[in-house]
Amino acid sequence: MGIIDEINQLVADWTLDESLASLLKEVMDQQLIEQPARIDYHYVTHLTNPAQRFFSIAYPEVRKPPALARRLARGKQLHSFAGVWFRNLPDFVVEEGTLDGAWVGLLGVRGKIDYRVGDSIFELKTKDKLPETPEEILSSYPQDLEQLVFYSVIHPSGPAVNYLIFMKNSAPFNLKAFRVITEDAGTIKSILVSRMRALSKSFKTNDPSRLGRCRYYESGCAYRVSGSCLCDGLEPLNVSALQRSVVINFDEAFTKLLENARDTHGGSSTFSLSTRDIIAPRKHYMEAISGSESLYEGDEKDEYKACAWVSMNKLKKHHGIDLSRSEKQSVIESQREPRLRVGFRWLKLKSSIHPSGEIVPYLLNINLSRKPASARNPHEYHLAELGIVCAAYGKGKGVIIRVCPNLGKLVQVFHVTYQNIDRIKQRVTETIDSLERAEEKEDLLSLPPCPLFMNDGGKCPLMKECHSGEESGCTL
């Protein structure tokens, strides 16, 4: 039996919460009224290296060299491993928060921050060698700096003080924290907008000359290796306006604070998994071992996810259902499987039974279906995902929040209770153990197949390998 079916059999009950759904819909409706019409989007990471984005679209057949793919996979693995350090910092707010520039008049750009701690955005970058000075960041890693300051100007609160964290990609994982102050947000916005226009124009004209040289041109870019790009004739992107607009300083105090979190909560393993990895472990193997990437490029769901995320933050703040610092810390310390990486999404459910609020995890998901029947029950995948989160924290109850844009912008809030969460926890631990063994032995087929709906319409990079043995992969 697959893990989705097993967890769904352990759902004791679910009910619809009309009160919370109504409050959230009211906030979301106002957000959507204020939001301009949707257009095609660029992601912040694409705008920090537009030439590579152009060539990735122009030459989709070009694959990353295996060594580069493995290095990037290692970076993702270490990035998730370090998440526990940030979650244990004072004033930790959110992990992997979605941003959309439409809310601040920058229509057409979106992104996802690593962390927010207090009022500041934090971006974590893993490197072979740590930069020593602000000048080295500008010369060697301008794309990392741009990513952080671009996020600062598309975040609704526009935080001026943010942090760029560099981590060595080998033990003992040395750290350096740099405090980045955006002094001229107007210039940063201008750089962002000009990149968006240049990239859009390049796609329309099939001419990358205005995009500047790829920032990985000298360090193993796949398009240079394959002879596909034209970067040898392009000048590097100018960073003088960026340099004038920010102040960068090494922050020794915060570096020590983060080192303390690393030493206290680092553990002995760099293994860290998401709920999706538990449900589809071969997808994790694909990214961690082979270095292949999902084909998902984003869709209309992302727009509504951003709206729902902003709306939930407003709702929690204005209705007193957000957690206090001590409550957040208590939740963090209650996690029972340290190898599981779960985004921090918790709220206090108020009721006549729990007037002060019952602390529970929640999921946000978007359903683009136009069929009313699709809104009758919570989806089996999300019931499994929430069950994993509940089990990881010893909670018997959680919330699924679903937005259905094509069904009258319907907002639903499901209260879900589980029986025998210890069994779910056991299954999660077994899956993580099997993934560790599979990675060590490089044995993909020892892992259970993914659910059929996760094979990217038959275009998943693992299709051939998954179907090469006795197991028939995702078609089971």
Side-chain angles (χ1 to χ4, degrees), residues 43-272:
Y43 287 85
V44 164
T45 50
H46 297 158
L47 298 176
T48 62
N49 195 16
Q52 187 175 72
R53 174 60 175 167
F54 177 89
F55 291 114
S56 71
I57 299 298
Y59 303 101
E61 70 280 3
V62 174
R63 300 299 178 195
K64 295 182 180 72
L68 175 61
R70 288 192 295 271
R71 188 166 74 246
L72 293 174
R74 174 65 172 169
K76 290 180 181 179
Q77 187 181 50
L78 291 173
H79 193 284
S80 61
F81 164 64
V84 67
W85 310 340
F86 288 87
R87 291 193 291 271
N88 278 279
L89 292 175
D91 297 326
F92 170 82
V93 178
V94 72
E95 180 176 3
E96 296 185 347
T98 303
L99 294 176
D100 195 311
W103 307 116
V104 293
L106 290 169
L107 183 65
V109 58
R110 59 162 50 113
K112 182 178 285 186
I113 63 175
D114 285 342
Y115 313 97
R116 186 157 66 89
V117 181
D119 295 326
S120 298
I121 298 170
F122 287 70
E123 283 298 306
L124 173 67
K125 301 298 178 183
T126 60
K127 303 294 181 184
D128 294 333
K129 175 181 176 295
L130 301 184
E132 297 294 331
T133 64
E135 292 73 23
E136 190 175 349
I137 294 174
L138 275 163
S139 62
S140 300
Y141 309 118
Q143 65 275 15
D144 298 336
L145 178 61
E146 286 180 349
Q147 185 178 350
L148 178 65
V149 296
F150 285 171
Y151 285 154
S152 76
V153 297
I154 67 172
H155 195 288
S157 65
V161 179
N162 303 289
Y163 288 83
L164 194 53
I165 312 297
F166 293 97
M167 180 176 81
K168 188 81 161 54
N169 57 14
S170 58
F173 309 115
N174 294 331
L175 295 157
K176 279 187 177 293
F178 289 87
R179 189 169 186 257
V180 179
I181 303 173
T182 303
E183 290 198 324
D184 187 349
T187 295
I188 299 300
K189 289 180 181 179
S190 296
I191 297 171
L192 179 64
V193 171
S194 67
R195 295 275 178 84
M196 292 166 60
R197 290 172 176 168
L199 191 53
S200 295
K201 185 75 175 292
S202 294
F203 285 135
K204 290 178 181 178
T205 61
N206 197 32
D207 176 11
S209 61
R210 60 178 51 84
L211 301 179
R213 181 182 298 170
C214 172
R215 282 171 160 162
Y216 300 110
Y217 182 73
E218 288 84 9
S219 58
C221 176
Y223 303 100
R224 180 188 184 186
V225 172
S226 67
S228 303
C229 74
L230 306 174
C231 284
D232 58 345
L234 301 179
E235 292 294 323
L237 287 166
N238 192 303
V239 297
S240 58
L242 171 69
Q243 186 174 11
R244 292 194 302 269
S245 303
V246 300
V247 174
I248 312 168
N249 289 300
F250 173 65
D251 193 319
E252 184 176 4
F254 192 83
T255 298
K256 289 181 178 179
L257 182 65
L258 196 55
E259 287 173 341
N260 183 63
R262 176 200 62 194
D263 296 340
T264 304
H265 306 285
S268 59
S269 171
T270 60
F271 214 71
S272 180

Side-chain angles (χ1 to χ4, degrees), residues 95 121 197 241 245 259 305 330 334 344 350 374 404 427 432 449 452:
E95 180 176 3
I121 298 170
R197 290 172 176 168
S245 303
E259 287 173 341
K305 281 181 182 177
S330 179
S334 70
F344 195 92
K350 291 186 176 181
S374 69
C404 305
R427 180 62 189 271
I432 296 177
L452 178 61

